[in-house]
Amino acid sequence: MTQVDVQSNNSREPTTQNPIELSEELPVTTKLKMSKKLTLVPLIFLIYFEVAGGPFGEEPAVKAAGPLLALIGFLVFPFIWSIPEALVTAELSTAFPGNGGFVVWADRAFGPFLGSMMGSWKFLSGVINIAAFPVLCIDYLQKIIPALASGWPRYISISISTLLLSFVNFTGITIVGWAAVLLGVVSLSPFIVMSAIAIPKIHPHRWLSLGEKKKDWNLYFNTLFWNLNFWDNVSTLAGEVDKPQKTFPLALLVAVIFTCIAYLIPLFAVTGAVTVDQSEWEAGFHATAAEMIAGKWLKIWIEVGAVLSSIGLFEAQLSSSAFQLEGMADIGLLPKFFSLRSKWFNTPWVGILISTLISLGVSYMTYTDIISSANLLYSFGMLLEFASFIWLRRKLPELKRPYRVPLRIPGLVAVCLVPSAFLVVIMVFATKMVYLVCGLMTVGAVGWYFLMKFCRQKKLFKFNSAENEERFDCGSCWMVLFDKVLQAKKLFKFNSAENEERFHQ
């Protein structure tokens, strides 16, 4: 089997090191079990479906804050969030071109504990996000089939669609990639038609409306965030991409532009051409607006497009989550069996199965609670991701980076500061239910890390990277580092003052 070895400046360091430095010595490799198959065009559409999949789901921003703030949000948010996240993804995906993505970045920067926490936060965020797509799909279909609005028909339809879509993912990343291209073109077509028909009916003064209701900032910010984040999710598929060092930066650039246009054009068209009560701007309102603008035929077309878009969103997100678990197994954060692939389709079937089961478990939640929970967990992970990005620049300055953000560390801090502030805003506006769900999941993530550490020590399961066992004993590294800081700053009194020098070893 071939391996992708990541170069670093580690070979220049002395052989005697303290525990805090052990994680820097880990060679990050990803076992490639087949030739890479994702090329530029399928990758662009996979990124598009990781993030958006079309303007489906942007409507609640108008309900929350009115047309003007919704338009401003989708105009400004890409600059303060999407572009910085895409830049981080482009640099680190080309520097570490293997499956696992952001988990590998955090592991390389801060060691296995925070690597595991990153994996747990992003994985749980991803599978919760997956649960939103069948729900969104049924929200559109219930406008044609009212029986799907509630009760057992709704729950059964969500469960069946989730299982069927998971099986499609099982058939292979190549099929998923080219299916994303087809689904993207077909699902966007009715919005192009609707926007063109709406032009004569547009009254620009409607864009300036602030709405009639009290602002729902929780819904507003979460809608923006959910519709324009997850740019880094595709990094977990880096091991499946052809020439990732060249393909990733270009694919991300095209996907950012494409995604923003796909959101803004229909939003300008509908808010300018249609006047309705603000409370009607629920998820799925674009279909209702299409009927008002052109007739029932366009409404049905958009509803079909919504179903196809939901399929693309589901497939892209499920692929990312499944390959993330495989990447975590490759670097020893999960047992080796998590990296098992299907003999028929060469897909990580264990990751697909686990992701599907968790997604089914949270599909009972409301659409708003789903996206809010996904956003909060994702915010935890993104704060760690920005920290990893900056720390890796300092820790591994000589690491080969085929694409490099052309800024020094102070500039990188400034670039990451604005989106980090927005992450804090997302956390502040979360509901008590979301805090409870995400708090329990975070506690579970900590427990999971120590459970895996126990399984490794007791040899209950087989793990990769067995030759680097000692780095998993670096959970104490953070305590060692904390002790050193306290000693150096003399924040408290300590005994053995005459042995100060031993704390500076």
Side-chain angles (χ1 to χ4, degrees):
M1 291 185 183
T2 60
Q3 290 185 331
V4 178
D5 295 322
V6 178
Q7 300 174 3
S8 74
N9 60 344
N10 295 339
S11 59
R12 300 187 180 189
E13 298 186 10
T15 56
T16 302
Q17 298 164 329
N18 61 46
I20 298 174
E21 297 170 332
L22 287 173
S23 63
E24 184 174 340
E25 296 304 308
L26 176 66
V28 178
T29 62
T30 298
K31 298 179 180 179
L32 302 180
K33 301 170 177 63
M34 64 179 297
S35 59
K36 303 173 186 178
K37 290 187 176 181
L38 275 179
T39 52
L40 179 63
V41 174
L43 182 61
I44 290 171
F45 278 87
L46 273 177
I47 295 172
Y48 170 68
F49 276 111
E50 293 277 11
V51 177
F56 310 100
E58 69 177 349
E59 304 99 325
V62 180
K63 177 183 178 181
L68 179 61
L69 291 180
L71 290 168
I72 291 174
F74 280 99
L75 277 168
V76 174
F77 193 71
F79 292 95
I80 65 175
W81 175 260
S82 300
I83 292 175
E85 188 182 10
L87 289 173
V88 171
T89 302
E91 176 170 320
L92 294 180
S93 292
T94 56
F96 301 95
N99 294 337
F102 37 73
V103 179
V104 177
W105 310 340
D107 183 276
R108 289 284 281 161
F110 301 116
F113 175 70
L114 288 184
S116 177
M117 292 301 296
M118 171 73 90
S120 296
W121 283 328
K122 289 294 191 77
F123 175 74
L124 291 171
S125 170
V127 294
I128 290 174
N129 200 43
I130 289 169
F133 303 131
V135 173
L136 187 61
C137 177
I138 299 303
D139 284 343
Y140 274 90
L141 285 178
Q142 74 184 36
K143 299 180 184 300
I144 301 176
I145 309 173
L148 299 179
S150 61
W152 65 265
R154 178 179 179 84
Y155 295 122
I156 290 178
S157 60
I158 289 174
S159 299
I160 292 176
S161 61
T162 299
L163 294 172
L164 289 176
L165 293 176
S166 297
F167 178 76
V168 173
N169 201 272
F170 179 66
T171 61
I173 190 64
T174 306
I175 294 175
V176 171
W178 284 107
V181 176
L182 177 62
L183 292 170
V185 172
V186 174
S187 64
L188 279 175
S189 297
F191 287 99
I192 296 173
V193 173
M194 180 181 71
S195 300
I197 296 175
I199 291 175
K201 304 179 181 182
I202 290 176
H203 297 278
H205 71 272
R206 293 172 178 167
W207 295 333
L208 304 179
S209 172
L210 290 172
E212 303 170 353
K213 295 175 55 181
K214 181 180 178 181
K215 303 294 183 289
D216 186 344
W217 297 114
N218 177 43
L219 179 60
Y220 176 72
F221 285 119
N222 274 294
T223 300
L224 289 176
F225 190 57
W226 186 74
N227 279 280
L228 286 165
N229 67 3
F230 295 100
W231 294 97
D232 60 335
N233 272 14
V234 75
S235 67
T236 64
L237 306 172
E240 312 302 308
V241 175
D242 183 41
K243 299 177 182 177
Q245 291 87 348
K246 294 181 179 180
T247 306
F248 256 101
L250 180 57
L252 283 162
L253 172 64
V254 175
V256 168
I257 297 171
F258 181 45
T259 298
C260 293
I261 292 174
Y263 275 126
L264 284 168
I265 291 178
L267 190 59
F268 270 104
V270 176
T271 54
V274 172
T275 300
V276 296
D277 187 88
Q278 188 179 343
S279 62
E280 294 185 31
W281 280 84
E282 299 278 358
F285 177 74
H286 276 317
T288 302
E291 183 177 14
M292 297 170 68
I293 292 170
K296 193 172 183 64
W297 64 271
L298 187 55
K299 175 184 178 181
I300 295 173
W301 191 3
I302 283 185
E303 286 166 344
V304 172
V307 174
L308 297 176
S309 176
S310 296
I311 293 173
L313 288 160
F314 186 95
E315 299 301 343
Q317 292 278 344
L318 183 57
S319 294
S320 177
S321 296
F323 280 102
Q324 178 194 326
L325 293 184
E326 182 191 25
M328 292 178 70
D330 285 343
I331 62 173
L333 290 175
L334 290 175
K336 197 171 181 178
F337 68 81
F338 277 86
S339 64
L340 291 176
R341 293 205 181 197
S342 164
K343 294 181 180 179
W344 293 342
F345 302 109
N346 201 47
T347 46
W349 68 269
V350 175
I352 293 172
L353 177 62
I354 293 173
S355 301
T356 301
L357 292 176
I358 297 177
S359 175
L360 281 172
V362 298
S363 61
Y364 70 92
M365 298 169 65
T366 65
Y367 177 79
T368 301
D369 282 341
I370 286 175
I371 65 172
S372 297
S373 299
N375 287 347
L376 187 59
L377 288 171
Y378 190 78
S379 297
F380 294 156
M382 281 309 305
L383 288 174
L384 179 55
E385 184 173 315
F386 287 137
S388 301
F389 174 59
I390 294 169
W391 190 247
L392 283 169
R393 273 289 190 95
R394 184 181 184 278
K395 181 181 181 182
L396 302 176
E398 298 178 15
L399 176 68
K400 183 179 179 181
R401 293 172 170 87
Y403 173 80
R404 185 184 183 95
V405 179
L407 294 171
R408 296 182 180 274
I409 290 181
L412 298 180
V413 172
V415 167
C416 295
L417 198 58
V418 174
S420 296
F422 188 83
L423 292 172
V424 174
V425 172
I426 292 294
M427 295 178 182
V428 169
F429 283 106
T431 64
K432 292 180 180 179
M433 167 65 93
V434 172
Y435 282 132
L436 176 62
V437 171
C438 295
L440 291 173
M441 287 183 174
T442 299
V443 171
V446 174
W448 179 262
Y449 170 76
F450 286 104
L451 175 62
M452 292 297 98
K453 187 175 179 180
F454 175 80
C455 291
R456 173 183 292 275
Q457 291 172 344
K458 299 299 182 181
K459 299 187 184 328
L460 299 180
F461 301 105
K462 289 184 178 180
F463 288 81
N464 286 321
S465 303
E467 66 278 9
N468 295 297
E469 287 289 325
E470 63 272 14
R471 80 188 187 94
F472 287 91
D473 294 324
C474 281
S476 60
C477 291
W478 296 98
M479 295 305 298
V480 173
L481 180 60
F482 186 60
D483 287 343
K484 284 190 173 187
V485 170
L486 294 181
Q487 289 284 346
K489 298 300 181 182
K490 298 183 179 178
L491 299 179
F492 301 100
K493 290 184 178 180
F494 290 83
N495 289 322
S496 305
E498 66 278 5
N499 296 306
E500 284 290 319
E501 62 277 6
R502 74 191 183 93
F503 288 94
H504 297 286
Q505 293 176 353

